[in-house]
Amino acid sequence: TITLPNHGSYRPHDKLNIIYSPYPRENAVLANGIHVTNPPRTLLDCGRTLEFIYSLPIFDDAAADGIEEKQILQECARTTLDCSRIFKLLRYTDAGSENGGESFARAVMIENGFAVPQLQVSFADSLTGKQFRVDFLWRTPDGRIIVGELDGTAKYVDPKMTDRRSIQETVQAEREREQALFRAGVTEIVRLTFDDAVQQKPLIAKLRRAGVPCVS
C-alpha cells in the first residue's frame, strides 16, 4: 500500500493498493529506510479500510504504546475523508487490553450488542490474600459478577506460561484460581477461546448462557 498526492498515471494493480492523500512528506517516519505514514495517520487509514473487529486490536495496541486520542483526531481534522469509523474506534479503544486476542474478542462482543466489559480487574482471595486478574468483567444490575477468561492451549503447554509445571499441575492451579475468584464474589466464569471469537456464534452463545448484559 502506498500513498500518493494525486491519481497521476498509476493504474490499479492486484498487488498494489493506493491511498490518495496530500500527506506531507515531512510528517512521514522512516521504517527500514522507507518513508511511511506516522502512527496517527496509519491508524486513520487502518480504521477506515478495515472492519471494526480487526481495527480495534490495532487501536488498543497503539494506545498502550502511548499514541493519544488527540493525535488521531488531529489527523482526522487534516483530511476531508469520512472519519465516522475512527470516532467509533476511539470510543471503544482501551489501552488496558493485554493482547490482540482479547481486543479482537472484545470487538466481537461490542459488535454483537453485549455490554463493554471492564478489563484486567483484580480480585483478592479472601482465604489466601493472593491477587488474581481477570480478562473481562461485567457487573449486572441484580448484583451478579460475571468473569470472562480468554483461554488458549499455550497456557497448558508453553513452558513460559506454565512455569514448567505439568499439564495436570497447570489444570489444578487453574481450578484453585477459579475457587479463589468464587470466594472473592465472582458469580459466573465464562471460558472463551480465540476460535470462539473468530466463529462468533460460540462466543455469543456462551455469553448469553452466562447472562452477560446487552446494551439497548
Side-chain angles (χ1 to χ4, degrees):
T1 298
I2 63 172
T3 179
L4 295 173
N6 53 59
H7 289 264
S9 59
Y10 284 86
R11 294 181 179 180
H13 191 281
D14 59 358
K15 293 185 179 180
L16 178 64
N17 179 37
I18 300 174
I19 297 175
Y20 295 103
S21 166
Y23 191 80
R25 187 180 178 88
E26 61 269 18
N27 287 349
V29 295
L30 277 176
N32 297 323
I34 300 172
H35 282 93
V36 299
T37 51
N38 63 33
R41 175 67 203 205
T42 303
L43 287 164
L44 186 151
D45 291 328
C46 288
R48 290 190 64 258
T49 56
L50 299 176
E51 293 179 41
F52 178 79
I53 58 175
Y54 302 116
S55 298
L56 190 61
I58 300 172
F59 274 65
D60 282 351
D61 190 57
D65 282 344
I67 305 301
E68 298 179 358
E69 178 179 310
K70 65 180 181 181
Q71 295 174 270
I72 304 169
L73 290 175
Q74 285 171 352
E75 288 298 329
C76 288
R78 293 190 182 106
T79 181
T80 57
L81 299 171
D82 180 8
C83 284
S84 55
R85 286 188 176 187
I86 307 303
F87 301 147
K88 178 181 178 180
L89 283 160
L90 291 175
R91 175 184 174 189
Y92 292 110
T93 295
D94 193 326
S97 183
E98 202 163 64
N99 56 61
E102 291 180 12
S103 295
F104 181 86
R106 190 172 93 260
V108 171
M109 295 171 193
I110 293 167
E111 287 289 82
N112 285 280
F114 291 100
V116 181
Q118 293 177 260
L119 305 181
Q120 303 301 324
V121 178
S122 293
F123 287 89
D125 182 359
S126 58
L127 189 63
T128 66
K130 283 186 67 175
Q131 294 279 332
F132 295 95
R133 279 192 306 147
V134 300
D135 297 332
F136 308 111
L137 174 70
W138 295 270
R139 298 181 187 273
T140 67
D142 59 3
R144 291 180 301 124
I145 299 175
I146 304 171
V147 160
E149 296 278 59
L150 188 69
D151 291 336
T153 54
K155 70 185 293 183
Y156 298 104
V157 297
D158 187 343
K160 294 179 181 178
M161 300 185 71
T162 64
D163 292 330
R164 302 196 178 277
R165 295 174 295 189
S166 68
I167 291 178
Q168 291 81 3
E169 290 173 323
T170 303
V171 170
Q172 180 59 33
E174 196 62 32
R175 286 176 180 164
E176 292 174 358
R177 182 177 184 276
E178 285 190 353
Q179 292 169 358
L181 289 174
F182 287 131
R183 285 194 294 269
V186 171
T187 311
E188 180 93 21
I189 298 175
V190 187
R191 297 218 163 269
L192 307 167
T193 68
F194 185 69
D195 282 344
D196 289 340
V198 171
Q199 297 174 36
Q200 296 200 26
K201 287 185 179 179
L203 180 143
I204 294 168
K206 288 181 178 181
L207 296 185
R208 283 179 177 168
R209 280 198 300 269
V212 172
C214 291
V215 292
S216 55

